[in-house]
Amino acid sequence: PNSTISQLPHCRLVEKEFLLPRLVSATMIATHELRQRDVSVLLNLIILLLLPVVANSFTPSLHFVFAPRNIDINRVSNVLFLADQGGSLDTERGINRRRQGQQGKQVPRVRNDEIEQKIKRCNGTKAIIDLCKTHGRDMQPHHVSFCWNKIARFLREMDMIKENPTMLNPLIVLTAERCDEMNPRALAVTTHRIAKISVKTGTLNKKSKIWIFLEKRAIRMTNFDSVKLSNIVWAFSKVQRPAPALFNHFADLAITNMEDFNSQDISNTLWSYATIRHCVPELFNAAQEE
């Protein structure tokens, strides 16, 4: 391209965790999910970012992506994340490809109450994952949390998940897509159950990118009650996921609403902060006074 980073209009920094080769690979995989304009911009940026690498002026690790404001950066970053995880966005075009059978017919859409009944009837993890593949387009955030809740109860299947952790990928992808729409209850249930599954199977550990989505959603919300707040901090501490912004945000919420906490909520919350070794003296002082 005949432009430079400084010449791109309205540049802004967007934090990413992709290494450069993975960014290139994910872009190629996700090309069919992106608008032509977005693909063009991304490919130009990749070339621009490669130039200083070739010149040995900085390491190949890519921690920031420069992007003009005329592209939907949230959509683009989600596409790249999901492509890197082996999934794709739940777009009409992508869904139609995945849902078409050998006859070329699309699976009919279903209502919310029908999906809930289908989840209730699932008698195993595989049945839930198959449901996500078939009806993921129609699932709402509370359906996603319901799926995680059901899987966490299938204790006899934890060894199967441990042996084949990629079987959860369709639900992980769906969670990433729906995370920004979750209310406090759905987010708390999802986070808590993912942590329980992680402890029992060793999958979805602190290195999993799904925790990035959960953290970003949590720190944008303030209307958590004591149970939901304690469950979320418990989940992050249980998998030892460093999340300073989240723990600081939740500490402020807990201090402000400490009178609403019962003894169990206080105990769980303080245990979580002690386990993750995130020091907030004001929180412990407020709990002691309560």
Side-chain angles (χ1 to χ4, degrees), residues 192 226-227 229-231 233-235 237 261-275:
H192 187 267
S226 58
V227 175
L229 187 151
S230 61
N231 281 346
V233 294
W234 177 90
S237 63
F261 281 59
N262 60 31
S263 58
Q264 185 66 51
D265 299 331
I266 294 175
S267 175
N268 291 344
T269 301
L270 296 185
W271 177 91
S272 300
Y273 278 80
T275 299

Side-chain angles (χ1 to χ4, degrees), residues 19-186:
L19 296 178
L20 187 56
R22 294 175 68 182
L23 175 63
V24 176
S25 174
T27 303
M28 294 300 98
I29 294 172
T31 298
H32 67 278
E33 297 285 359
L34 295 169
R35 302 178 184 88
Q36 183 176 0
R37 179 184 61 189
D38 297 343
V39 174
S40 176
V41 171
L42 280 171
L43 293 179
N44 285 347
L45 293 175
I46 289 171
I47 295 173
L48 289 171
L49 289 164
L50 277 171
L51 294 179
V53 174
V54 174
N56 295 322
S57 62
F58 74 107
T59 62
S61 296
L62 176 62
H63 296 288
F64 296 96
V65 173
F66 288 85
R69 289 177 180 170
N70 64 343
I71 68 174
D72 186 347
I73 190 61
N74 290 327
R75 174 184 165 77
V76 170
S77 62
N78 284 351
V79 168
L80 295 180
F81 165 77
L82 297 174
D84 188 56
Q85 297 292 301
S88 66
L89 275 184
D90 200 7
T91 58
E92 192 76 26
R93 183 171 51 179
I95 276 291
N96 287 344
R97 266 196 307 275
R98 295 201 302 270
R99 291 157 63 95
Q100 282 178 353
Q102 295 180 353
Q103 305 295 328
K105 297 180 180 178
Q106 294 185 22
V107 178
R109 303 193 70 159
V110 294
R111 300 192 310 270
N112 284 343
D113 56 339
E114 292 180 11
I115 292 180
E116 191 165 335
Q117 292 302 317
K118 287 178 180 293
I119 297 174
K120 286 182 179 179
R121 289 195 293 268
C122 289
N123 57 3
T125 301
K126 186 178 183 302
I128 290 178
I129 298 302
D130 289 342
L131 187 65
C132 291
K133 292 178 181 178
T134 307
H135 295 294
R137 173 179 62 168
D138 302 312
M139 286 188 177
Q140 300 300 316
H142 65 278
H143 295 137
V144 175
S145 66
F146 192 10
C147 288
W148 285 113
N149 189 43
K150 287 277 289 188
I151 292 177
R153 295 184 179 185
F154 297 137
L155 299 179
R156 291 177 295 179
E157 298 188 354
M158 292 300 159
D159 288 339
M160 178 181 67
I161 296 175
K162 189 174 183 178
E163 294 173 1
N164 184 24
T166 57
M167 70 179 298
L168 295 177
N169 279 356
L171 181 54
I172 294 172
V173 169
L174 191 59
T175 304
E177 295 176 12
R178 299 288 187 268
C179 196
D180 279 346
E181 305 168 16
M182 287 185 176
N183 60 26
R185 183 178 186 279

